[in-house]
Amino acid sequence: MKKQKFTILGMTGSGKTCYLLSMYKQMLPGVESFTLNTDHDTHVDLRNRYKRMDNASLGSSRFPNPTNQPEIFHFTLEYALSSVMSFDWIDYPGGLLKEKGSGNSEQYAKLSSYVKDSGCLFICVDGELLQGYDDNEDKSGLIQDNCSSLINPFLAAYLHENKYLPPTVIIVTKWDLCAEYVSDDDLAEIMKDAFSPLFVKKNDGNLFVTIQPVSLGANITENNNCGRLVPKNIQIPIFIGIWFSLYELNFRLTDIIDFKERRIRFLEQKRSKEQKSFFLFRDDKKIASLTKNANNKKWEILKEKEQLEKAIKHSDLLLKQLQSKIKLAYYNGEEYESFSGAAIKYLERRQRQISSNPRLR
């Protein structure tokens, strides 16, 4: 299976970089025995950037400047220090979508390509926009003006061209600023209005969306942004991306094992036929070759079954986290009571797509 890619979209100031730094820092000591690993240089860079963000004495200047160039980070999710899955995290400048028509068509095309190859898509929404008005319609309008009016056309064009979007997570950052004033029902209403193309009810699509609030700390903005940095639910979006990737890996491994088992039966039938031939016409070299090929396939299947067992174990562990944390999950515009209810619907159709198209394997 090719290395997974996760792409995060969001406008300038929405908190994409802060989210990345907090996610990495929170995962270093481990969450339910899951950790993130990367190369030494990236580790030092991210650690130092987080250390500055954790320095409350700097006030508002503790937070990183907006990203002005695409950044790609290489991570490996581990469980009990054993590799689960490697992935690339692609962070694009917030102003790219806004400036697409003024000379950045090459970067825009690269972004489209990354989204197409992404195992999961993240849309970063600035939670600060949710604290300005009492009416949900006004809050939705503010998000439309500052975010979704630029992201929605990109998503709509992509969906029209490819008939497919990867699982999509709307990450609502700075949730500490608005949690007191926005209920789960309010949040669902606002996001469904602001990102309406993602919530269209239809039977012929295959679109999974979830909404996940995250926070750097409940009181971080107090005393001129000198509050303590205590990330909350930061790990959930990345767990979603890995969970979907593991499940797709399960599908692929199951298909591969089934194909090889059928191949072994074919080889053994040919060998049996050759062995029953009259001794003067029997080809012992051919029998030996068929035996070797069959045994090689059996060895490959053994390793793939071990990989499959490991992937199922890790996906089950992640699902326990997701089931308890995620409250808003949708499949083709319909809200489901649980994350798994909507996700399995998506995966079942995705499996049929993969099985019917060898190029997706």
Side-chain angles (χ1 to χ4, degrees):
M1 184 178 183
K2 64 182 180 181
K3 190 175 185 179
Q4 286 298 304
K5 296 179 181 179
F6 300 143
T7 306
I8 185 165
L9 300 172
M11 307 314 296
T12 301
S14 60
K16 300 189 303 301
T17 303
C18 289
Y19 172 79
L20 167 69
L21 297 176
S22 299
M23 175 188 70
Y24 183 66
K25 177 61 170 61
Q26 187 175 24
M27 293 296 296
L28 279 177
V31 176
E32 298 294 325
S33 299
F34 285 99
T35 54
L36 272 185
N37 197 4
T38 188
D39 63 88
H40 178 72
D41 289 343
T42 302
H43 168 72
V44 172
D45 175 49
L46 294 178
R47 184 187 61 189
N48 289 340
R49 290 162 72 179
Y50 183 89
K51 186 176 180 181
R52 177 181 176 83
M53 195 167 70
D54 197 28
N55 187 352
S57 67
L58 297 175
S60 58
S61 64
R62 67 200 283 197
F63 300 112
N65 293 324
T67 302
N68 55 20
Q69 292 292 329
E71 292 187 279
I72 301 177
F73 301 90
H74 310 290
F75 293 115
T76 298
L77 183 72
E78 299 179 340
Y79 179 77
L81 304 182
S82 177
S83 175
V84 175
M85 181 169 288
S86 296
F87 63 94
D88 289 342
W89 178 269
I90 298 98
D91 183 4
Y92 262 80
L96 176 64
L97 297 179
K98 183 183 296 185
E99 299 168 359
K100 186 257 179 177
S102 58
N104 279 321
S105 57
E106 183 178 348
Q107 286 293 338
Y108 188 87
K110 287 183 179 180
L111 174 57
S112 299
S113 176
Y114 274 123
V115 172
K116 184 176 181 180
D117 291 337
S118 289
C120 195
L121 178 63
F122 301 93
I123 299 174
C124 200
V125 176
D126 188 350
E128 191 170 357
L129 299 173
L130 299 176
Q131 63 174 351
Y133 299 94
D134 293 329
D135 186 82
N136 285 349
E137 186 175 349
D138 291 332
K139 292 176 181 177
S140 176
L142 198 58
I143 292 174
Q144 290 172 5
D145 292 342
N146 290 273
C147 179
S148 60
S149 62
L150 293 167
I151 291 179
N152 279 350
F154 172 83
L155 298 178
Y158 179 89
L159 186 60
H160 176 74
E161 180 181 351
N162 299 284
K163 312 300 181 186
Y164 162 76
L165 272 182
T168 301
V169 183
I170 299 176
I171 303 174
V172 183
T173 61
K174 309 175 190 177
W175 187 242
D176 51 288
L177 297 177
C178 53
E180 184 179 350
Y181 313 104
V182 181
S183 67
D184 290 339
D185 289 340
D186 289 331
L187 183 61
E189 181 181 336
I190 293 165
M191 295 302 156
K192 287 167 71 175
D193 189 26
F195 293 94
S196 57
L198 297 177
F199 296 93
V200 175
K201 294 183 179 181
K202 53 184 180 180
N203 296 322
D204 59 343
N206 193 32
L207 186 58
F208 171 89
V209 182
T210 186
I211 304 167
Q212 181 59 48
V214 300
S215 172
L216 297 183
N219 304 307
I220 195 170
T221 58
E222 291 183 352
N223 301 320
N224 189 32
N225 294 294
C226 290
R228 185 183 173 203
L229 197 62
V230 186
K232 184 176 182 181
N233 290 333
I234 295 289
Q235 80 281 5
I236 297 302
I238 200 64
F239 280 4
I240 294 172
I242 295 294
W243 185 84
F244 272 106
S245 297
L246 283 173
Y247 238 95
E248 190 161 313
L249 175 60
N250 294 347
F251 290 151
R252 293 169 189 259
L253 284 172
T254 300
D255 282 349
I256 290 170
I257 291 170
D258 179 66
F259 173 79
K260 289 184 178 180
E261 287 178 339
R262 285 186 280 112
R263 181 63 180 171
I264 289 171
R265 290 194 293 270
F266 172 76
L267 292 172
E268 290 179 339
Q269 287 170 0
K270 286 189 68 176
R271 181 183 62 186
S272 177
K273 183 178 180 180
E274 189 66 31
Q275 288 172 332
K276 294 176 181 178
S277 299
F278 185 63
F279 77 95
L280 291 176
F281 303 106
R282 186 181 305 145
D283 188 338
D284 291 335
K285 289 185 177 180
K286 183 176 182 180
I287 291 173
S289 176
L290 290 168
T291 300
K292 181 180 179 179
N293 288 340
N295 288 339
N296 286 341
K297 289 286 185 285
K298 289 177 182 179
W299 174 250
E300 291 171 4
I301 288 175
L302 179 63
K303 304 303 291 184
E304 285 155 354
K305 284 185 174 179
E306 290 177 356
Q307 188 180 2
L308 177 60
E309 183 179 351
K310 183 179 177 182
I312 292 173
K313 172 190 172 182
H314 291 148
S315 62
D316 287 345
L317 289 169
L318 288 173
L319 185 58
K320 290 180 181 179
Q321 283 271 308
L322 300 177
Q323 288 287 74
S324 64
K325 295 289 186 179
I326 295 174
K327 299 178 181 179
L328 300 171
Y330 302 83
Y331 176 68
N332 283 346
E334 293 284 350
E335 183 174 356
Y336 280 69
E337 293 183 358
S338 68
F339 165 81
S340 62
I344 294 300
K345 284 287 187 181
Y346 169 88
L347 287 166
E348 287 175 345
R349 182 165 290 187
R350 182 64 178 154
Q351 182 184 19
R352 292 195 293 270
Q353 292 174 331
I354 292 173
S355 297
S356 63
N357 188 348
R359 290 181 300 175
L360 297 176
R361 295 182 184 275

